[in-house]
Every structure is written in structure tokens, then in C-alpha cells.
Amino acid sequence: MLRKLLIALFGLGLVFGAAAADTVADAHAEMNGCESCHQDGSPSSDGAYENEQCVACHGGMAELEGEQHAAHADMLVCSDCHAVHDMEVGQKPTCDACHDDGRTP
Ligand code: HEC
Ligand code: HEC
Ligand code: HEC
Ligand code: HEC
């Protein structure tokens, strides 16, 4: 319920609007705390819990928009590309960590 509300609010431009220079993780934490991704606020050792939270709010690889998602369904997890603590809001993941043919999103 809260998750659906947050996504609806963002649709109205009310959630991430003031956070342009934040990392993706900080922008999420401003909405819902570190607990929105980390169980009791503590990082897991393998990232599995965190990636389940991404899917619970955004949908899975096969459901998300964009070929870069569908192409890796059942192959990659969100954090393989979205380094949420290292990337700023609006910054797009690149492909060259794994494909060396110069492809872009
Ligand atoms: C959008 C989801 C998300 C939010 C919100 C988030 N994190 Fe993370 N965090 C991750 C993921 C995923 C990782 C695994 C490494 C990576 O991909 O950056 C991680 C890794 C970490 C690590 C490093 C763990 C390690 O073993 O290297 C720490 C520390 C951390 N988070 C703390 C926090 C704190 C403190 C907050 C709140 C201010 C927070 N995180 C909010 C998703 C999130
Ligand atoms: C293969 C790398 C890759 C993986 C894995 C991946 N993404 Fe993405 N994602 C991207 C790229 C690249 C973009 C930017 C696409 C563009 O705007 O051209 C993107 C865009 C997005 C956006 C839209 C951001 C915006 O522009 O507003 C969301 C939300 C998102 N991804 C969530 C996820 C979630 C959740 C997962 C895991 C289920 C995931 N992604 C897995 C590469 C990836
Ligand atoms: C509590 C629900 C929730 C969780 C958990 C969550 N997100 Fe989000 N996320 C949102 C909302 C709401 C937005 C803003 C609306 C949108 O872009 O879909 C957002 C925005 C994003 C964006 C767009 C950022 C930009 O640059 O504009 C990306 C990428 C993203 N999330 C990836 C992730 C990843 C990866 C994880 C897991 C590590 C994750 N999210 C976990 C709710 C969530
Ligand atoms: C974390 C590693 C990783 C990243 C980052 C990554 N990919 Fe992939 N991708 C793979 C793997 C593994 C395969 C399956 C093996 C193959 O076909 O190369 C694949 C296959 C694909 C395929 C289907 C087969 C092909 O080569 O056409 C497409 C399309 C694709 N990736 C697009 C992208 C795009 C676009 C990006 C950047 C947004 C990206 N990938 C980033 C690992 C990755």
C-alpha cells in the first residue's frame, strides 16, 4: 500500500523532485529510510534481500520497460547494473562492464 502510494506520488513529481544531486540510494532513503532496501537497515551479505525489495516496488526484469531489462531476465539482478550508492539520480547504468562492443542502453 505504502509502496503503491510512493510510486503514485512520484508520478505527480512529488517524490524525487528536490533530490537531483542525491545518489539513487539516498533518494530512496529520503522516501522510506534505509529499511526500504535493507532488512532492519543492515546490508545483507549477498544482496538477495535488497534485490527482492527492488522487484517488490518496481517489478521484475521481464516487466520493466526497456530492452536492457527484458534482455537479461532470469540472468541479472538489479544491483548488477544499478549501483544505487554510487550513481546519482538521473545517471544511467552503462553496458561496458560486461559487453565490450560499445553498446549503449
Ligand atoms: C534503493 C535501495 C537501497 C537503499 C534505500 C539503501 N541501500 Fe545500502 N545498499 C543497497 C544495495 C543493493 C547494496 C549492495 C551493494 C551495491 O549495489 O551498492 C547496498 C550496500 C550498502 C552498504 C555496503 C555493504 C557492503 O558490504 O559493502 C552499506 C554500508 C549500505 N548499503 C548502507 C546503507 C544505508 C546506511 C542506507 C540508508 C541511508 C542505505 N544503505 C540505503 C541498496 C540500498
Ligand atoms: C543490464 C543492466 C540493468 C539491469 C540488470 C537493470 N537495469 Fe534498470 N536500467 C538500466 C538502464 C541502462 C536504464 C536507463 C535506460 C534509459 O533511460 O535509457 C535503466 C532504467 C531503470 C529505471 C528507470 C529510471 C528512470 O530513468 O527513471 C528503473 C526504475 C529501473 N531501471 C529499475 C530496475 C530494477 C528494479 C531492476 C531489477 C529488477 C533493474 N532496473 C535492472 C539498466 C539495468
Ligand atoms: C519502497 C519501494 C522501492 C524500493 C524498495 C526500491 N525502489 Fe526504486 N524507486 C521507488 C520510487 C517510488 C521511485 C521514484 C519513481 C520511479 O522512478 O519509479 C524509484 C526510483 C528508482 C530509480 C530511478 C532513479 C533515477 O535516476 O531517476 C531507479 C533506477 C530505481 N528506483 C532502482 C531501484 C533499485 C535498483 C532498487 C533496489 C536496490 C530499488 N529501486 C528499490 C521505489 C522503490
Ligand atoms: C553485469 C553484466 C552485464 C551488464 C552490465 C550488461 N549486460 Fe547485457 N548481457 C549480459 C550477459 C551475461 C548476457 C548473455 C550472454 C551474451 O549474450 O553476451 C547479456 C546479453 C545481452 C543481450 C542479448 C544478447 C546480445 O548480446 O544481444 C542484450 C540485448 C544486452 N545484453 C544488452 C545490454 C545493454 C543494452 C546493456 C547496458 C545497459 C547491458 N546489456 C549490460 C551481461 C550484462
Side-chain angles (χ1 to χ4, degrees), residues 46-70:
D46 61 2
Y49 179 87
E50 286 78 1
N51 279 294
E52 282 167 20
Q53 306 320 303
C54 318
V55 172
C57 284
H58 288 284
M61 294 290 292
E63 299 153 294
L64 284 160
E65 282 178 32
E67 191 203 15
Q68 77 280 4
H69 293 130

Side-chain angles (χ1 to χ4, degrees), residues 3 6-7 10 15-16 24 28 31-32 36-37 50-51 53-54 57-58 78-79 82 84 88-91:
R3 292 175 173 187
L6 283 170
I7 289 185
F10 185 80
V15 174
F16 273 14
V24 176
H28 283 81
M31 294 187 279
N32 230 1
S36 51
C37 295
E50 286 78 1
N51 279 294
Q53 306 320 303
C54 318
C57 284
H58 288 284
C78 315
S79 60
H82 293 278
V84 296
E88 290 181 4
V89 170
Q91 194 183 339

Side-chain angles (χ1 to χ4, degrees), residues 11-103:
L12 299 170
L14 297 176
V15 174
F16 273 14
D22 281 351
T23 65
V24 176
D26 285 344
H28 283 81
E30 279 163 24
M31 294 187 279
N32 230 1
C34 310
E35 294 79 5
S36 51
C37 295
H38 297 300
Q39 190 163 30
D40 304 321
S42 300
S44 68
S45 54
D46 61 2
Y49 179 87
E50 286 78 1
N51 279 294
E52 282 167 20
Q53 306 320 303
C54 318
V55 172
C57 284
H58 288 284
M61 294 290 292
E63 299 153 294
L64 284 160
E65 282 178 32
E67 191 203 15
Q68 77 280 4
H69 293 130
H72 304 100
D74 299 322
M75 198 187 294
L76 301 182
V77 294
C78 315
S79 60
D80 286 334
C81 293
H82 293 278
V84 296
H85 284 288
D86 298 328
M87 297 177 64
E88 290 181 4
V89 170
Q91 194 183 339
K92 292 180 190 180
T94 53
C95 316
D96 53 7
C98 306
H99 299 282
D100 58 9
D101 56 3
R103 72 179 68 192

